[in-house]
Amino acid sequence: MATAKPQRSPAEIEDIILRKILLVTLIDSMERDSRVAYLELTAAEILSEGKELRLSRDLTERILIDRLSGHFPSAEPPFPYLLGCCRRAYEEGKKIMSMKDKSIRAEMESVVKQAKQLAVSYCRIHLSNPDMFPNWDSSGDSNNKSNLSPLLPLIFSEVSTSVDGFAGTSSSFVGESCPPGFLEEFFRDSDYESMEPVLKQLYEDLRGSVLKVSALGNFQQPLRALLYLLSFPVGAKSLVNHPWWIPKGVYLNGRVIEMTSILGPFFHVSALPDQTIFKSQPDVGQQCFSEISTRRTADLLSSFTTIKTVMNNLYDGLAEVLRSLLKNTNTRENVLEYLAEVINKNSSRGHMQVDPISCASSGMFLNLSAVMLRLCEPFLDANLTKRDKIDAKYVFNSTRLDLRQLTALHASSEEVAEWLSKGNSKKDDVSRQYSEGENRLLQSQEATSSGSNIDGSSLPSNKAMSKSSGEKARFPFICECFFMTARVLNLGLLKAFSDFKHLLQEQAPSPQVDQDIVRLEKEFESYSQEKLCYESQILRDGGLLQQALSFYRLMVVWLVGLVGGFNMPLPPSCPMEFASLPEHFVEDAMELLIFASRIPKALDGILLDDFMNFIIMFMASPEYIRNPYLRAKMVEVLNCWMPRGSGSSVTTTLFEGHQLSLEYLVRNLLKLYVDIEFTGSHTQFYDKFNIRHNISELLEYLWQVPSHRNTWRQIAKEEEKGVYLNFLNFLINDSIFLLDESLNKILEMKELEAEMSNTVEWERRPAQERQERTRLFHSQENIIRIDMKLAMEDVSLLAFTSEQITAPFLLPEMVERVASMLNYFLLQLVGPQRKSLSLKDPEKYEFRPKQLLKQIVNIYVHLARGDKENIFPAAITKDGRSYNEQLFSAAADVLDRIGEDGRIIQEFMELGTKARDAASEAMDTEAALGEIPDEFLDPIQYTLMMDPVILPSSRITVDRHVIQRHLLSDNTDPFNRSHLTADMLIPDTELKAKIEDFIKSRG
């Protein structure tokens, strides 16, 4: 029978466990494991102290120091050794769990715990002070060959998931697995001073690991590693105090911050292309969109989905990074400083031309846009309940963002400065709420602190100081976040829209000589890839667009709050808080709406009523928004929303069931039509036609809506001598100019056509001349097409409105102008020159002479029907340039052939007869009057004055209806260009009496 195995004492068990964990021995025993170190000197010291050669908890730290300080060639260097100690402690701890004796088990658990704590502690000491154990060559450390922190692979293994190395791209970062609980204990129980150098190296390594990584590379592991470090207070503090948190230096610019700050390279990860020297890998365009013409649709959609997925992972991760730092009152200020620095150093991204070397990439700012929108989510609720936290004074009192240099909605920089110096505001400056004592406290905090330890709950979150007074101003985080987001979106998302639009325009390179074909094909491929990268990251991300739309909904509701809410009419004077705000706040909202309106379903679920109200309130209010092009952009939004075709549109109710729309939309469109005549730009003459084209399309649609048509008729009645008369005047001016321009260009084009058709003569000409003449021909074609389309639109507008609104057309200052226009059109369409205007393919040029003739004749008839005082026939005949009684019968013949309504033809012929009679009567009157004295003649028209008035500045006498017609287009005295309005005219009663006597004497 075998003898029982002798029981080991607790001291023996302790010795065995510690030898296994620490891999040391105090007895030279031919140990086969080369990792086990024989501590000969330590053993001698212990013997000299009269103790047994046995490891115990009391000796653990001493043993550990001696092991790390000694030189054991075949043993592990300090870091892998200490890490191994932690791993072995964990394993021994698991074994101890099976011990039956509870008291021994508890004792051994304490031994293992102490050993593990010491190993972790000496890991910290070693990493923060590598020279403490000089006998070890750090280059021999397999984890340290690349000078990276040996902690990095451990953190990567801790945070790794199955999606790392997404889409088969660069492999994920690998390293040995981390002992359970090691990292948490390493960071959780540490002090800042000892950890600062360790974390400093870690953050630099993480930054380096994503420096040249694209959306298809492995940025996800480093991002999760960053988040992991920030979960520890010491990690957050160390990050914002890192010298590269906000890089310093005289050469600091937007690109430098992107490439050298710790967070910059994370924000640089993108699908968008970048400058060659900053290009990331793998190349997204090459990998997802090469040889696009041969790609299957399914492949393309798969690429779009991939990019959308990885980018949203990036957005979410970066938003979580900023959120975790913002929640901590000790690090919030540093985040705001970083964001402000990124914005301010990249303000030139708002310019037309952006220098890619000195500015951060579009990818960074698009990412930052998405992240800022995520930070705004808590205050973008449907009811916008937090909007009262947004303070317009931020624009003037914040020194964090330089907003005062931006173009304002209405106020000039001088007006803003004067207003601020007077303190002429509705609310007291927010900074005055602090007492002098509190200000002194803040200044002392400022002087003694880097700002990282400011508690946002009791001190200002932005350290802003009024530039004029030196006083502090505090703004809540929501306010800070709102204005920063507005700036980031302007420099990021909205700039990306603009870049994308230019890409689309550039994507059709003009064909050149044969040897350039290969280069052009490569160029086209490059453009295609770039376009699709933009499309995948912007157009295909409905969530990003919807978040941006929610932000700008808050923007417009907040702006309207500054002027008293959604009420019309607007207050007569614009509050300076509104007038001084950056113009791009509104412009960006409109650009986003235009962009989103062209993407299917992008507006689904978005509350558009507030945008509609905003547009109606401000599009015709130059006293509030000075820039006419910005107000015209609002019309462009409405044009995108306009229901088209017979099917109902999601936006139909905005036009047809919306109170402000029904009451003010037509009125304000008419007003803007007039205002846009003078924009102040050198291109104003051409710009107005494009803008009026958008307005005309809207007006034509609104005329079909009975409630809008009724409002329109009421406006025409009320504003017969106001805005409506101005509207008609410009409409007629444009019609004449556009048709005249088109007809002249047709003649020029036909000459060119004749030249080119004579092939023998044409081939004799030099190649350069033929090229120039061909280019001119195509240019003329485009001009005719555009001008003719606009002219047809204008005449159509006159035709359908004149059916129900005739009075303004028949006013003394308007009737002759209308008659002259109609006569001119009639002459061109049925006069002797008409055959010279015939085109092979008139539809190609939007030239529809039959339709145009019908509309012109309809206008004649409509005005004749409304002419109760029978003044229209005489006005027709006063036009000496185009009137010819034979044109009426010629037009009637054409109308009969093209099937016009017989009743219209009859009424038109009756009007022609009346005009002929009026002409005969006028000749008799002229003969009866004989020679008219010069003083009775209008100096502009040389016709007998019927109501003479004196111009107050030049003191010249003119006929009232002649000068009133002039004033419809130009508010100046035609003789000296001084300001003049109708109410300034002085009746010349004495001269009028003389004229009346003269007429009677010749009766």
Side-chain angles (χ1 to χ4, degrees):
M1 187 169 137
T3 57
K5 193 175 179 182
Q7 286 289 100
R8 288 198 179 102
S9 68
E12 288 174 319
I13 297 170
E14 189 175 349
D15 175 52
I16 292 166
I17 289 172
L18 286 173
R19 276 192 282 123
K20 283 184 181 177
I21 292 172
L22 300 176
L23 285 183
V24 295
T25 180
L26 297 174
I27 302 164
D28 190 6
S29 60
M30 303 302 288
E31 175 65 57
R32 290 181 184 178
D33 188 342
S34 62
R35 295 178 305 155
V36 176
Y38 169 43
L39 303 182
E40 186 177 0
L41 291 175
T42 310
E45 287 174 10
I46 289 170
L47 285 172
S48 71
E49 293 164 10
K51 296 176 185 174
E52 286 186 70
L53 289 180
R54 193 179 277 165
L55 298 188
S56 67
R57 78 183 73 190
D58 296 336
L59 290 172
T60 304
E61 185 165 12
R62 177 176 173 182
I63 297 290
L64 199 57
I65 291 170
D66 288 351
R67 161 65 179 81
L68 291 168
S69 304
H71 183 58
F72 307 100
S74 58
E76 292 175 306
F79 184 78
Y81 165 69
L82 289 166
L83 194 65
C85 289
C86 291
R87 184 175 286 107
R88 290 185 292 273
Y90 174 75
E91 294 300 327
E92 290 302 314
K94 281 201 296 187
K95 292 176 190 172
I96 290 166
M97 297 292 289
S98 60
M99 284 184 176
K100 290 176 183 174
D101 188 323
K102 286 185 179 179
S103 63
I104 294 178
R105 186 169 71 213
E107 206 175 321
M108 294 310 120
E109 281 175 350
S110 175
V111 169
V112 169
K113 184 179 178 185
Q114 183 204 31
K116 186 180 174 189
Q117 284 175 338
L118 283 168
V120 172
S121 179
Y122 275 89
C123 255
R124 274 194 224 106
I125 293 167
H126 167 63
L127 291 177
S128 61
N129 188 4
D131 299 330
M132 179 166 277
F133 306 115
N135 290 329
W136 297 94
D137 179 7
S138 62
S139 64
D141 185 342
S142 61
N143 284 300
N144 212 27
K145 284 177 183 171
S146 59
N147 293 322
L148 293 174
S149 167
L151 288 172
L152 196 61
L154 300 180
I155 297 171
F156 283 151
S157 71
E158 185 81 1
V159 299
S160 65
T161 71
S162 58
V163 298
D164 295 326
F166 189 83
T169 58
S170 59
S171 62
S172 58
F173 300 99
V174 291
E176 61 181 304
S177 62
C178 184
F182 169 77
L183 287 172
E184 192 175 344
E185 197 169 329
F186 184 91
F187 291 112
R188 187 189 61 220
D189 300 329
S190 56
D191 64 281
Y192 178 73
E193 284 68 28
S194 64
M195 286 303 297
E196 194 272 335
V198 177
L199 284 159
K200 180 175 180 292
Q201 177 68 45
L202 268 173
Y203 286 129
E204 288 168 23
D205 294 344
L206 282 174
R207 172 195 158 276
S209 69
V210 292
L211 192 55
K212 287 291 183 93
V213 174
S214 76
L216 297 180
N218 180 20
F219 63 84
Q220 310 206 36
Q221 248 183 318
L223 183 54
R224 284 196 301 276
L226 179 64
L227 271 167
Y228 181 79
L229 291 176
L230 293 179
S231 66
F232 302 101
V234 70
K237 184 176 180 181
S238 182
L239 175 61
V240 299
N241 283 288
H242 195 291
W244 293 355
W245 171 249
I246 301 176
K248 302 288 186 286
V250 299
Y251 299 110
L252 186 66
N253 59 34
R255 182 63 83 161
V256 169
I257 291 179
E258 177 178 23
M259 303 315 288
T260 62
S261 70
I262 300 296
L263 293 186
F266 284 93
F267 277 104
H268 180 254
V269 174
S270 178
L272 300 190
D274 195 7
Q275 195 73 4
T276 308
I277 56 171
F278 303 115
K279 203 159 189 175
S280 300
Q281 294 299 328
D283 186 310
V284 177
Q286 288 278 324
Q287 190 142 327
C288 292
F289 306 119
S290 59
E291 297 175 0
I292 197 65
S293 57
T294 60
R295 287 278 176 111
R296 293 181 308 141
T297 306
D299 288 346
L300 194 59
L301 292 174
S302 173
S303 293
F304 284 146
T305 304
T306 296
I307 291 168
K308 178 184 168 184
T309 302
V310 295
M311 290 316 299
N312 274 280
N313 286 343
L314 177 70
Y315 302 155
D316 291 340
L318 287 172
E320 194 50 45
V321 166
L322 295 189
R323 230 179 255 122
S324 68
L325 292 168
L326 287 164
K327 282 177 187 171
N328 183 340
T329 54
N330 294 321
T331 54
R332 181 185 305 149
E333 173 67 13
N334 305 85
V335 176
L336 295 172
E337 282 180 354
Y338 175 74
L339 293 172
E341 191 76 352
V342 170
I343 292 165
N344 292 332
K345 286 289 187 286
N346 285 287
S347 59
S348 59
R349 276 188 56 79
H351 300 164
M352 289 286 286
Q353 296 294 323
V354 177
D355 175 15
I357 304 300
S358 62
C359 279
S361 65
S362 293
M364 177 181 192
F365 262 83
L366 186 55
N367 295 343
L368 192 53
S369 297
V371 169
M372 292 304 293
L373 285 170
R374 278 161 169 75
L375 297 182
C376 291
E377 276 175 358
F379 56 90
L380 295 181
D381 56 293
N383 296 322
L384 305 177
T385 50
K386 300 285 190 347
R387 67 177 182 269
D388 59 329
K389 302 282 186 191
I390 303 166
D391 188 346
K393 288 294 189 307
Y394 186 93
V395 173
F396 321 110
N397 290 358
S398 168
T399 52
R400 205 191 293 288
L401 291 186
D402 193 4
L403 298 171
R404 287 168 66 175
Q405 303 306 310
L406 300 171
T407 304
L409 281 168
H410 195 277
S412 66
S413 54
E414 292 77 20
E415 287 168 337
V416 174
E418 186 184 351
W419 174 62
L420 288 173
S421 65
K422 286 180 181 175
N424 183 23
S425 59
K426 289 182 180 176
K427 299 176 185 174
D428 291 331
D429 194 308
V430 283
S431 63
R432 291 175 191 160
Q433 64 187 280
Y434 300 108
S435 66
E436 280 185 41
E438 283 174 313
N439 276 328
R440 280 198 295 274
L441 170 64
L442 298 179
Q443 284 156 8
S444 110
Q445 284 274 356
E446 176 92 296
T448 59
S449 161
S450 65
S452 62
N453 62 344
I454 289 180
D455 182 343
S457 60
S458 60
L459 298 175
S461 62
N462 74 330
K463 302 194 300 179
M465 188 190 300
S466 165
K467 290 183 181 179
S468 56
S469 66
E471 294 176 351
K472 294 282 178 178
R474 181 171 86 171
F475 300 95
F477 172 72
I478 287 174
C479 184
E480 295 259 19
C481 189
F482 174 80
F483 285 103
M484 285 189 173
T485 303
R487 289 296 292 136
V488 167
L489 289 171
N490 175 255
L491 304 173
L493 183 62
L494 276 299
K495 185 66 177 172
F497 290 160
S498 172
D499 292 345
F500 181 65
K501 206 158 53 176
H502 290 137
L503 264 178
L504 295 179
Q505 290 164 358
E506 289 171 8
Q507 203 175 332
S510 55
Q512 294 175 25
V513 288
D514 292 345
Q515 60 260 39
D516 281 350
I517 287 174
V518 175
R519 180 182 61 79
L520 289 171
E521 282 175 351
K522 283 182 182 173
E523 227 173 78
F524 185 77
E525 173 81 359
S526 171
Y527 276 131
S528 293
Q529 289 179 15
E530 204 168 333
K531 178 182 82 75
L532 289 164
C533 286
Y534 270 90
E535 185 175 333
S536 61
Q537 203 170 331
I538 307 173
L539 271 72
R540 300 281 170 165
D541 193 343
L544 176 62
L545 290 174
Q546 296 234 334
Q547 283 180 313
L549 286 163
S550 294
F551 177 82
Y552 282 107
R553 180 173 161 257
L554 168 62
M555 173 67 80
V556 300
V557 171
W558 175 72
L559 285 169
V560 167
L562 296 177
V563 300
F566 287 108
N567 299 308
M568 289 286 278
L570 286 164
S573 61
C574 176
M576 280 299 288
E577 285 93 339
F578 182 93
S580 311
L581 290 172
E583 184 181 86
H584 80 71
F585 285 9
V586 174
E587 185 174 10
D588 292 348
M590 297 305 119
E591 285 285 5
L592 178 65
L593 288 170
I594 291 165
F595 196 85
S597 297
R598 290 170 180 159
I599 301 170
K601 299 188 176 179
L603 296 179
D604 287 3
I606 298 294
L607 296 167
L608 297 176
D609 291 63
D610 294 323
F611 291 116
M612 185 72 172
N613 283 328
F614 183 89
I615 289 169
I616 291 169
M617 287 174 71
F618 294 105
M619 71 177 175
S621 303
E623 310 81 10
Y624 280 75
I625 295 179
R626 189 193 298 273
N627 184 345
Y629 293 100
L630 177 49
R631 286 181 283 118
K633 207 172 280 290
M634 298 179 188
V635 175
E636 205 176 330
V637 175
L638 295 182
N639 213 263
C640 291
W641 291 353
M642 186 175 70
R644 286 172 166 84
S646 55
S648 69
S649 156
V650 291
T651 56
T652 301
T653 53
L654 292 175
F655 292 95
E656 300 181 17
H658 194 279
Q659 190 51 47
L660 273 188
S661 173
L662 293 171
E663 199 172 343
Y664 287 98
L665 185 51
V666 170
R667 182 185 303 275
N668 287 352
L669 285 170
L670 295 173
K671 188 173 184 302
L672 183 60
Y673 193 101
V674 172
D675 290 347
I676 217 70
E677 179 74 13
F678 305 106
T679 64
S681 163
H682 67 284
T683 57
Q684 68 180 12
F685 183 75
Y686 300 100
D687 295 340
K688 70 178 182 182
F689 293 118
N690 293 326
I691 297 164
R692 284 176 176 165
H693 161 68
N694 285 333
I695 297 174
S696 296
E697 282 197 334
L698 281 161
L699 288 172
E700 189 163 349
Y701 156 66
L702 294 171
W703 184 261
Q704 312 304 319
V705 181
S707 48
H708 280 295
R709 188 162 64 246
N710 291 336
T711 305
W712 192 327
R713 289 163 66 182
Q714 188 62 32
I715 293 165
K717 192 174 179 182
E718 292 169 2
E719 297 278 354
E720 191 179 87
K721 289 212 167 193
V723 72
Y724 201 76
L725 196 58
N726 286 109
F727 162 69
L728 282 183
N729 177 62
F730 288 129
L731 186 56
I732 290 164
N733 286 355
D734 289 358
S735 304
I736 294 170
F737 170 81
L738 290 165
L739 191 70
D740 208 23
E741 188 81 350
S742 304
L743 299 178
N744 287 333
K745 287 281 186 289
I746 286 173
L747 295 174
E748 288 175 28
M749 192 181 71
K750 291 188 78 170
E751 281 181 27
L752 284 167
E753 213 168 34
E755 280 179 31
M756 293 159 77
S757 62
N758 186 344
T759 49
V760 177
E761 284 294 321
W762 179 253
E763 291 299 327
R764 285 180 184 159
R765 296 189 178 194
Q768 188 177 351
E769 185 186 341
R770 282 181 311 196
Q771 196 175 359
E772 285 172 6
R773 300 295 281 171
T774 304
R775 194 180 295 123
L776 177 62
F777 177 78
H778 293 307
S779 166
Q780 302 288 54
E781 281 190 315
N782 285 331
I783 292 170
I784 292 166
R785 189 181 303 110
I786 294 165
D787 286 357
M788 195 61 81
K789 180 180 170 60
L790 296 173
M792 293 289 289
E793 228 170 47
D794 288 350
V795 172
S796 174
L797 199 51
L798 288 166
F800 65 72
T801 56
S802 63
E803 185 174 10
Q804 296 189 28
I805 301 169
T806 54
F809 290 90
L810 298 168
L811 289 168
E813 57 265 45
M814 184 56 75
V815 67
E816 290 178 21
R817 180 80 172 134
V818 174
S820 297
M821 177 198 78
L822 296 171
N823 293 344
Y824 174 69
F825 281 16
L826 204 60
L827 175 66
Q828 302 300 329
L829 293 168
V830 298
Q833 297 291 317
R834 70 180 184 277
K835 288 185 180 175
S836 64
L837 298 173
S838 60
L839 293 165
K840 289 177 186 173
D841 184 6
E843 279 292 325
K844 177 182 172 185
Y845 304 103
E846 305 271 347
F847 184 37
R848 303 181 184 93
K850 292 174 186 176
Q851 181 188 331
L852 188 57
L853 178 62
K854 279 187 176 184
Q855 289 178 328
I856 294 298
V857 168
N858 272 278
I859 298 170
Y860 272 115
V861 170
H862 294 158
L863 298 185
R865 287 174 185 171
D867 182 21
K868 307 303 179 197
E869 296 180 17
N870 203 34
I871 60 169
F872 189 41
I876 291 171
T877 62
K878 282 184 182 175
D879 169 28
R881 188 178 76 147
S882 304
Y883 172 69
N884 181 332
E885 64 181 76
Q886 292 170 352
L887 293 175
F888 279 77
S889 53
D893 290 343
V894 175
L895 290 171
D896 192 44
R897 285 202 304 273
I898 63 177
E900 178 58 287
D901 185 337
R903 194 181 56 173
I904 295 286
I905 298 173
Q906 186 183 345
E907 288 185 60
F908 179 63
M909 288 302 292
E910 286 170 3
L911 176 61
T913 304
K914 284 184 181 179
R916 189 183 61 211
D917 293 345
S920 175
E921 190 180 323
M923 286 176 68
D924 293 345
T925 303
E926 191 178 335
L929 288 172
E931 190 172 339
I932 302 169
D934 285 349
E935 66 170 320
F936 296 168
L937 293 173
D938 174 78
I940 298 172
Q941 295 281 5
Y942 292 102
T943 52
L944 178 65
M945 290 187 282
M946 304 307 291
D947 187 4
V949 290
I950 301 166
L951 305 184
S953 174
S954 62
R955 307 305 297 177
I956 291 173
T957 299
V958 294
D959 205 358
R960 184 185 293 275
H961 81 272
V962 173
I963 192 63
Q964 283 181 331
R965 187 189 308 157
H966 164 80
L967 291 175
L968 290 173
S969 303
D970 188 350
N971 278 335
T972 62
D973 182 324
F975 300 99
N976 65 7
R977 312 306 297 164
S978 61
H979 179 67
L980 180 65
T981 56
D983 59 350
M984 294 164 68
L985 303 174
I986 305 162
D988 193 337
T989 49
E990 186 181 334
L991 182 59
K992 186 174 183 178
K994 283 185 185 178
I995 292 171
E996 286 171 352
D997 289 344
F998 169 74
I999 292 170
K1000 283 176 189 172
S1001 69
R1002 299 299 172 96

